[in-house]
Amino acid sequence: MKKSPRWTYDINTENRLLGVPELLLFGFDEIRSAMPLSYHQHAGYEFVLVERGKASWELDGHVYETKAGDVFHTSPGEIHRGGFNVIEPSRFWWFIVTPPHSEGWLRLPQDESEGFRVALEALPRVTHTGLQAVDDIRKLRNALNSNIPLRTSATRQALLGLLLLILQPNQQMVSLAEDLLHQLDALIVRITEEPQWRPAIEEMADLVRISPSHFFRTFQEYTGLPPMVFIERARIKKACGLLVEGTDTVTEIANELGYASSQHFATVFKRITGMTPIQWRKFQTDRNDSL
């Protein structure tokens, strides 16, 4: 499997910032081939911001889909994993902060710290911030990586700004008309629920009632992926679940997903996940047996 570019800040490393102990972990990943992501948990609040592509997350038996501009979060101690034990090809940022229960959390007065605690507990599992959050999260990385005398203050300010953006997203950032957003969401649901469907760009554009060229640009902006790439990855994600949770053969799964042959299915599957379907099933079975 291909290694993914990764950058990580860890409070336990030598380069830790003593003045902002609330920031426990912070990092960036670009997953180029689907990878296993099994159950895990954190001591603090974790936030994952998708910059490009799409990713799904599983918690308490529910699967949460995220796309470019979405933030998925978990509370301290919540056990979660990638949807169907998989993290899909995507580009995303993530950071973990301590719960705002201690006195002086991020140097805030007690009443404001309490306000953050209440807001975090009421935060929806997935929040759409738009890609403005990517600029804010890069400010945080730049502050951490800087050598300026006020590095601690700059890092704390960037972290506070990012948290405020997630907790109070500006609804005006959504530039697409609300009816078009609903139509795109309905289309994405159909793509997910009917993996054997093979729509052309023109057919999908007709369904959301815009021109093919406008549809292509809008869909890619909304999901972070071109339409056909999105469809293929949704189909392979479905295949990952079928391979792990069922007993159908590779040929039967290929037929169910609408592939012309099991050989074509295996070729596409390996291109996206880095494994053949048989290798993926064995890997996941062995992993589950070892838990």
Side-chain angles (χ1 to χ4, degrees):
M1 299 177 67
K2 298 178 182 177
K3 292 183 179 180
S4 61
R6 162 173 275 224
W7 172 86
T8 305
Y9 164 82
D10 188 336
I11 196 173
N12 296 310
T13 63
E14 293 181 1
N15 196 37
R16 66 188 183 278
L17 191 60
L18 297 177
V20 191
E22 296 84 359
L23 182 60
L24 300 176
L25 285 169
F26 177 34
F28 163 83
D29 279 287
E30 185 169 4
I31 307 299
R32 294 175 178 173
S33 297
M35 297 173 59
L37 182 62
S38 56
Y39 283 118
H40 60 288
Q41 60 181 307
H42 304 288
Y45 283 94
E46 181 188 34
F47 301 88
V48 183
L49 166 64
V50 180
E51 179 179 354
R52 184 182 303 161
K54 59 188 274 303
S56 58
W57 317 91
E58 189 173 339
L59 188 153
D60 291 336
H62 298 284
V63 175
Y64 299 89
E65 302 286 346
T66 56
K67 57 187 181 300
D70 285 346
V71 175
F72 170 79
H73 94 278
T74 55
S75 299
E78 287 188 321
I79 300 175
H80 57 287
R81 67 175 183 174
F84 300 106
N85 216 34
V86 179
I87 181 69
E88 299 148 281
S90 54
R91 180 185 178 112
F92 58 90
W93 301 78
W94 49 272
F95 66 99
I96 302 173
V97 296
T98 61
H101 295 157
S102 62
E103 184 177 349
W105 185 79
L106 285 174
R107 304 299 189 270
L108 294 175
Q110 187 62 39
D111 59 334
E112 292 191 22
S113 177
E114 176 65 12
F116 269 94
R117 183 190 68 79
V118 172
L120 283 168
E121 291 180 355
L123 186 66
R125 189 65 65 186
V126 176
T127 305
H128 186 72
T129 64
L131 293 182
Q132 177 186 333
V134 175
D135 294 333
D136 284 41
I137 209 164
R138 284 178 174 154
K139 290 178 184 177
L140 177 58
R141 184 174 70 170
N142 291 340
L144 275 171
N145 287 340
S146 71
N147 294 315
I148 61 175
L150 298 178
R151 176 185 175 219
T152 297
S153 295
T155 300
R156 187 183 303 115
Q157 181 184 39
L159 180 57
L160 275 170
L162 185 58
L163 287 169
L164 285 170
L165 178 63
I166 294 170
L167 293 171
Q168 299 176 325
N170 182 357
Q171 297 302 319
Q172 294 179 349
M173 288 189 299
V174 180
S175 59
L176 298 178
E178 187 172 346
D179 60 339
L180 179 54
L181 288 175
H182 289 320
Q183 291 163 1
L184 286 171
D185 286 338
L187 175 62
I188 289 170
V189 168
R190 183 175 177 186
I191 290 170
T192 303
E193 294 182 349
E194 300 179 27
Q196 73 284 358
W197 186 36
R198 293 290 196 277
I201 294 292
E202 292 75 13
E203 181 181 356
M204 291 186 286
D206 285 342
L207 288 172
V208 299
R209 298 193 292 276
I210 57 178
S211 70
S213 58
H214 185 200
F215 168 77
F216 188 96
R217 293 192 304 270
T218 302
F219 189 95
Q220 182 164 341
E221 177 185 348
Y222 189 51
T223 66
L225 292 172
M228 294 309 180
V229 175
F230 183 96
I231 290 172
E232 199 67 82
R233 289 186 176 176
R235 191 173 294 128
I236 293 302
K237 177 187 170 184
K238 178 68 173 179
C240 288
L242 292 173
L243 286 164
V244 174
E245 298 174 356
T247 58
D248 289 349
T249 66
V250 171
T251 299
E252 289 170 337
I253 292 174
N255 292 335
E256 181 178 344
L257 298 178
Y259 285 94
S261 67
S262 59
Q263 291 80 7
H264 180 216
F265 165 60
T267 298
V268 175
F269 191 95
K270 185 173 183 179
R271 172 167 53 80
I272 292 177
T273 68
M275 297 183 183
T276 67
I278 293 175
Q279 289 171 334
W280 179 268
R281 172 172 271 169
K282 183 178 186 303
F283 181 87
Q284 293 296 330
T285 300
D286 291 346
R287 174 181 285 267
N288 292 335
D289 288 344
S290 67
L291 295 178

